Structure formats: structure tokens, C-alpha cells
Amino acid sequence: TMLSKCTGWILAATLVVAFSTAAHAQYLTQKAISLAEAKKIAAAAQAEAVKNNWKMAIAVVNQDGGLIYFERADGIQSGSLDVAIGKAKTAALFRRSTKVLEDVINGTKDTPARTAAMKLFPLPTQGGLPIKAGDEFVGGIGCSGATGAQDEQSCAAGIAAGTK
């Protein structure tokens, strides 16, 4: 009958709308650091290092720890290259300053828990900071080449200039 055909079409249309809405609702929108923004952050961090006569390696990573941009000062010690990347990844993946993680490990007695924490955090030494866009974590910056506090100072300068 005509009524059953109309009811069938209405039911089919309702199901199509329901399924398309459900499928659409599964996608997330995330902010991300562009290459241009990563370069801006690194440039400001490097300017802070140069101003203080520190040779610095600087890495900017996305929220998953993937390298977006890296730069190094001429004449920097080779060991600082991987350290900067490790600090940036750690800050991004754990969404906190690497100094916080360093303090946790240093405050833990030499136990299996401390050993596990040392393996869990890729590089828990001061000089890595998470990067936020508004309230959303979008990545991390890691600096290496000076003291931990000086590395962090360069990171903070990069974030301050890059996220305006």
C-alpha cells in the first residue's frame, strides 16, 4: 500500500541520516603546529641562545612526538642534537616540562619504580616544554647545548614568541 511504501522510505531516510551523522561524529579536529610556526618558535629560541652566547640545538615536534623542525648552532657539540629531539618528544608525549619528570625521577629512591620511570620517560632532563595552542596541547620544544635551566629558558622564549 501507499502508506507502507511511505513508511519504508521514511525509515530508510532516517537510517541514512542516523548513520551518516554517526560516521561524521567519529572524526576529531585537532590543532597542529605548521612548519612556519615551528620555524618561528625555533628562531625565537635560537635568538635567546645567541643573546646569551649559548650554542643550542633546537627541536620542535608535533603532539605525537614527530619531528617538524630542527636547527643547530654552528660548532655545537654533537651529543646535543639527539638530546634536543628527545627532550621535545618527552615534553610533547607527557604534556609537561621535562624538568617535572626529572624532579620525579630524582626524588624517587633507587628502586624498581625509579628504574621503570627512567625507561618510561624518553629524556627526562630539563630543557623540554610542551607547546599549547589555547587549551590544546599541540607539540613540544626541546633545547640542548647549555645547562638545563638555560635550555629551558631558550624553549620558553621560543614558545612566547611563537604562540602570540
Side-chain angles (χ1 to χ4, degrees), residues 38-60:
K39 287 180 177 183
K40 183 178 174 184
I41 291 167
Q46 195 66 267
E48 180 70 15
V50 168
K51 177 178 88 174
N52 290 289
N53 203 28
W54 304 324
K55 292 180 187 249
M56 198 71 61
I58 300 164
V60 179

Side-chain angles (χ1 to χ4, degrees), residues 6-54:
C6 286
T7 304
W9 282 107
I10 291 170
L11 178 60
T14 303
L15 288 173
V16 167
V17 169
F19 283 119
S20 65
T21 302
H24 178 65
Q26 293 176 5
Y27 292 99
L28 299 175
T29 302
Q30 290 183 295
K31 293 179 182 175
I33 300 172
S34 67
L35 177 59
E37 184 71 7
K39 287 180 177 183
K40 183 178 174 184
I41 291 167
Q46 195 66 267
E48 180 70 15
V50 168
K51 177 178 88 174
N52 290 289
N53 203 28
W54 304 324

Side-chain angles (χ1 to χ4, degrees), residues 57-100:
I58 300 164
V60 179
V61 301
N62 66 18
Q63 68 271 17
D64 298 323
L67 187 62
I68 298 172
Y69 185 74
F70 179 84
E71 72 175 56
R72 60 184 276 177
D74 292 335
I76 192 167
Q77 60 191 4
S78 296
S80 290
L81 308 181
D82 288 335
V83 171
I85 295 169
K87 288 179 181 183
K89 285 182 178 186
T90 301
L93 295 175
F94 292 94
R95 297 180 174 182
R96 57 189 37 87
S97 163
T98 54
K99 173 73 168 119
V100 171

